[in-house]
Amino acid sequence: MYVFHQPTIIVDTYLRRLFTWLNQPLPSNYMRAQQLIMQAWDYDLTTAWEFHALVVDFGKDVKTAADFAHSPLATQRLTLDSKGLEN
C-alpha cells in the first residue's frame, strides 16, 4: 500500500484483534482475510491509508478485551459478506 501506492488492506495484529472484538473474526490465511475485507469495501488509496492509521491508533490505545469493553466501539458489531470468498 505504501510502496506501490495501491489501495489495499493490511491485515495486521491490530486489525485482527479489532475485527474479532467486533464479532467478525478473520480467516487465519492472510490472503483470504484480505480478500474478505477488500470485497466488502469500496475504497481508494487515501481511504485505505486513513483506515489503516485509525486501526493502528485504536490498537495502540485499546490492547485488551477489558479496554475494548470501555471503548466507543464496544457496542458495535461488524459483518462482512463472504460471497465469492475462495476457500
Side-chain angles (χ1 to χ4, degrees):
M1 175 168 70
Y2 299 106
V3 176
F4 300 110
H5 294 283
Q6 297 296 314
T8 190
I9 299 298
I10 297 172
V11 183
D12 58 11
T13 300
Y14 294 128
L15 184 74
R16 286 185 178 281
R17 187 183 307 146
L18 176 59
F19 274 43
T20 297
W21 288 334
L22 292 172
N23 203 38
Q24 180 60 67
L26 295 170
S28 59
N29 178 281
Y30 184 94
M31 296 304 291
R32 288 185 185 151
Q34 188 179 55
Q35 180 184 13
L36 178 64
I37 297 167
M38 290 176 69
Q39 74 182 16
W41 184 35
D42 183 30
Y43 55 90
D44 57 21
L45 180 61
T46 303
T47 304
W49 279 342
E50 180 71 15
F51 178 74
H52 181 70
L54 290 169
V55 169
V56 169
D57 284 346
F58 185 82
K60 287 179 179 180
D61 292 335
V62 180
K63 297 177 182 161
T64 66
D67 292 340
F68 183 76
H70 292 91
S71 78
L73 297 179
T75 61
Q76 302 301 308
R77 295 297 172 259
L78 177 66
T79 303
L80 298 176
D81 183 4
S82 61
K83 288 187 294 186
L85 182 63
E86 295 177 13
N87 294 325

